[in-house]
Amino acid sequence: MRALFLLAALATVASAQTVETGSGPVTLLPEGARTGVFVLDAEDGVLRAGPRLVEIAPNGVVTVPGRDPAFDPQTALDARAFTIEARADRVAVGLGFNDTTADADQPPATAAGYAVSTNGGQSYTYRFPALDQSRDSTVRYGISTLPAIPVTIAQGTAPLDLAWSPGADTLYSASLLAGLRRSTDDGATWQRVVLPPDTLQVLDPREPYDFVYSPDLRQPLGFVDGDPDQPVLSDFSTNFVAYSVVVHESGTVWVGTLGGLNRSVRLPGSDDPAWVRYTDAPIGGALPANWVFALETRPIAGAPDEVWAACVNSGNRFTSAEEEPGIAVWRGDDADGRPIFETVLLGVDVIDLAFDEVRAYAATSEGLYVSDDDGATWRVVRTFRRPDGTPLPLANARTSAVATTPGAVWVGTASGLLKSTDGARTWELFRADVRPGASADGDRTVDVYAYPNPFNPRNGDLRVRLDLASGSDVTIRVFDQAMNLVRTLDAPGRPSGPNEVFWDGQTDDGLRVANGVYIYTVEAAGERFSGRILVIQ
């Protein structure tokens, strides 16, 4: 979730406006929202979406609390929501940004802090990133005091997932190279949570240990003879690098890491839980792959909630050749207390999971997978269509997030937010409202606007937005800098009100245009407008 976070009142709409695209209407979210939706969360019928936080209430009222200054106390930061988690009256939003100048060997997801609400999202308080002080060189686990490498750098430590305990009194943060963190004061302070190192399958707080706790590969233990070119690397464990977390209704904490799936076990008389780690071990392995990217619980009527773990192949030096992506489903424990795991959707990299009373949904780069039989079989939606059968104007089939509210499933894409109320058969599209701005001389309102600008055809279409006072034919022409005609776009019979016309970045001959500045003209209702487009790919 990326935003500019202005110091302004919340934007609210009671009735949605639509824009005509030529292939059907698109519902507009209020100003301040973003078209690309990459994070979703639903609680008590309220849908929350990012990258700038947007809330859609059960009655359809939309607010943009992302304008609250608590989301970006450093206005130059341009932070976005990486994860959203709500329970009861608590809402937590993990903030970060992608640092494209960062070390190529490390994740670019840089921590920017948290925005936390204790009144159901009516107001938010900013919290600093969950990082260590340089003096935090030990960490306590059970009876052991472990040497620890403090993680003091925000790069690579953005919160990728959050989870509240059932009573909403403890918040867990899966923070990549900062590991798993825990807060009992709504994010004001954080404690490190020690998981099993790669050398152990079980961690027991009653047993003594002396391994080094270091989720961050960047940190050396020291140097050979003081030579900075010969670092002594820390005891880095892939299982310390946290990607996902969920808290079961029983209070059990499940944590997905680069090195497996971890399950907490509460022991009497101990403040720290024991941990059991599940992997893709050749004998007795529970997972198809060790990188557990996403976790979600699935409510089961009359039985404990299931835990679904999306396992992906990381494609790096920590991945074994035998790993294969898929979903590991914990169905419960048998009579002897042994976990019952089942693998479904084998061979598919899953980004996010959601459930309703009938179906399971999996967001992937190749579309939305839907199962009506507990994951035994799946159908994939690659073309999202309106009730009349026309396809929605999406850049591609990639889905980035999925969530459900009563009677509806919502899907986040780079081209907007999708909603279905008929079991993922037909869809409605929501996009940000991009309004025409003032002209260069500031004396009149321009009725035409092109976005995104700069424009990369590899990422989708350019949209030319125009507001028509009355119905009209529309013609758009694109010229290069020498005023050679590149493309003509005809949109006949457009109605009054907001309209959009798409350009795919190709010439009339079907060739992709080169990088550079292009001029577009719009003729509609007897008027003519023009503007510039910068193409960068």
Side-chain angles (χ1 to χ4, degrees):
M1 312 171 188
R2 185 176 295 277
L4 294 178
F5 299 120
L6 305 177
L7 304 182
L10 301 184
T12 307
V13 294
S15 57
Q17 186 185 19
T18 61
V19 60
E20 178 56 49
T21 64
S23 61
V26 171
T27 304
L28 297 178
L29 297 173
E31 273 194 288
R34 292 292 182 266
T35 289
V37 175
F38 306 107
V39 180
L40 291 173
D41 178 75
E43 176 72 11
D44 294 333
V46 178
L47 182 80
R48 294 179 172 89
R52 169 177 277 183
L53 182 61
V54 173
E55 296 180 354
I56 303 178
N59 62 2
V61 172
V62 184
T63 59
V64 187
R67 289 174 177 258
D68 189 308
F71 283 81
D72 192 11
Q74 306 172 58
T75 55
L77 196 58
D78 192 23
R80 68 184 183 94
F82 273 45
T83 177
I84 307 167
E85 175 71 8
R87 182 174 289 228
D89 60 350
R90 263 40 180 193
V91 183
V93 182
L95 303 174
F97 61 97
N98 286 318
D99 184 0
T100 57
T101 65
D103 184 345
D105 293 332
Q106 304 298 335
T110 297
Y114 303 84
V116 179
S117 173
T118 58
N119 54 15
Q122 297 181 44
S123 62
Y124 287 83
T125 300
Y126 174 76
R127 302 298 193 188
F128 288 101
L131 296 173
D132 303 319
Q133 301 293 322
S134 59
R135 62 179 178 271
D136 296 330
S137 58
T138 61
V139 62
R140 185 79 180 178
Y141 175 74
I143 64 172
S144 303
T145 299
L146 303 172
I149 307 299
V151 178
T152 60
I153 303 174
Q155 178 198 335
T157 63
L160 293 193
D161 201 10
L162 295 168
W164 291 103
S165 62
D169 53 2
T170 303
L171 178 63
Y172 294 88
S173 178
S175 301
L176 270 175
L177 300 183
L180 181 67
R181 305 273 166 148
R182 176 181 61 212
S183 174
T184 55
D185 52 12
D186 298 320
T189 60
W190 295 89
Q191 299 82 44
R192 292 174 287 191
V193 179
V194 179
L195 299 174
D198 290 356
T199 55
L200 297 175
Q201 298 298 117
V202 175
L203 196 65
D204 189 329
R206 300 167 298 187
E207 298 293 326
Y209 300 101
D210 61 357
F211 59 84
V212 177
Y213 175 74
S214 174
D216 191 348
L217 183 60
R218 297 171 303 199
Q219 306 288 350
L221 286 174
F223 302 95
V224 177
D225 297 328
D227 185 351
D229 294 327
Q230 299 185 60
V232 179
L233 293 181
S234 62
D235 293 346
F236 171 77
S237 285
T238 60
N239 197 52
F240 293 156
V241 183
Y243 278 85
S244 54
V245 60
V246 73
V247 183
H248 192 263
E249 60 180 351
S250 64
T252 299
V253 182
W254 295 78
V255 185
T257 73
L258 191 60
L261 176 62
N262 301 267
R263 176 186 183 182
S264 71
V265 178
R266 180 57 62 185
L267 299 176
S270 175
D271 293 334
D272 293 313
W275 293 94
V276 178
R277 182 167 70 102
Y278 306 108
T279 66
D280 71 335
I283 299 177
L287 310 181
N290 283 339
W291 182 11
V292 181
F293 187 78
L295 284 170
E296 192 60 64
T297 57
R298 182 190 184 194
I300 303 295
D305 291 354
E306 295 178 343
V307 176
W308 289 46
C311 305
V312 300
N313 193 319
S314 60
N316 61 29
R317 64 186 183 278
F318 305 117
T319 304
S320 66
E322 293 76 19
E323 286 188 301
E324 185 175 4
I327 302 173
V329 182
W330 176 75
R331 305 284 191 188
D333 295 334
D334 64 17
D336 295 323
R338 292 186 295 262
I340 302 170
F341 281 98
E342 178 183 351
T343 299
V344 302
L345 205 55
L346 192 64
V348 177
D349 283 315
V350 175
I351 300 171
D352 197 14
L353 293 160
F355 310 93
D356 57 26
E357 294 180 353
V358 178
R359 300 173 185 86
Y361 303 94
T364 77
S365 61
E366 55 187 277
L368 179 71
Y369 280 81
V370 184
S371 176
D372 303 297
D373 54 9
D374 301 328
T377 61
W378 298 79
R379 59 183 169 92
V380 59
V381 182
R382 293 189 175 92
T383 301
F384 296 84
R385 299 183 182 276
R386 294 186 174 89
D388 63 5
T390 58
L392 293 173
L394 305 181
N396 50 51
R398 181 183 179 87
T399 56
S400 302
V402 61
T404 61
T405 55
V409 57
W410 303 77
V411 175
T413 76
S415 301
L417 176 64
L418 311 181
K419 177 186 179 182
S420 175
T421 57
D422 58 3
R425 300 290 178 181
T426 62
W427 300 85
E428 178 183 0
L429 175 61
F430 296 78
R431 280 217 312 264
D433 187 5
V434 179
R435 297 181 181 274
S439 64
D441 57 22
D443 292 334
R444 65 182 177 86
T445 298
V446 177
D447 300 302
V448 176
Y449 184 83
Y451 72 102
N453 195 1
F455 165 50
N456 184 349
R458 300 179 187 275
N459 294 336
D461 295 335
L462 177 92
R463 299 180 178 93
V464 180
R465 163 75 181 267
L466 56 152
D467 291 343
L468 299 176
S470 60
S472 172
D473 294 338
V474 176
T475 299
I476 297 176
R477 294 181 175 88
V478 181
F479 301 87
D480 62 19
Q481 284 185 290
M483 292 308 295
N484 297 310
L485 181 62
V486 172
R487 184 70 179 271
T488 300
L489 304 168
D490 291 315
R494 285 303 181 93
S496 61
N499 284 263
E500 287 185 354
V501 180
F502 300 126
W503 179 41
D504 57 8
Q506 296 183 5
T507 68
D508 283 326
D509 296 328
L511 302 176
R512 182 175 291 168
V513 299
N515 289 346
V517 177
Y518 293 81
I519 298 168
Y520 69 93
T521 64
V522 180
E523 296 178 10
E527 296 188 77
R528 188 173 186 271
F529 305 95
S530 65
R532 293 177 180 270
I533 304 165
L534 177 60
V535 176
I536 300 177
Q537 54 190 319

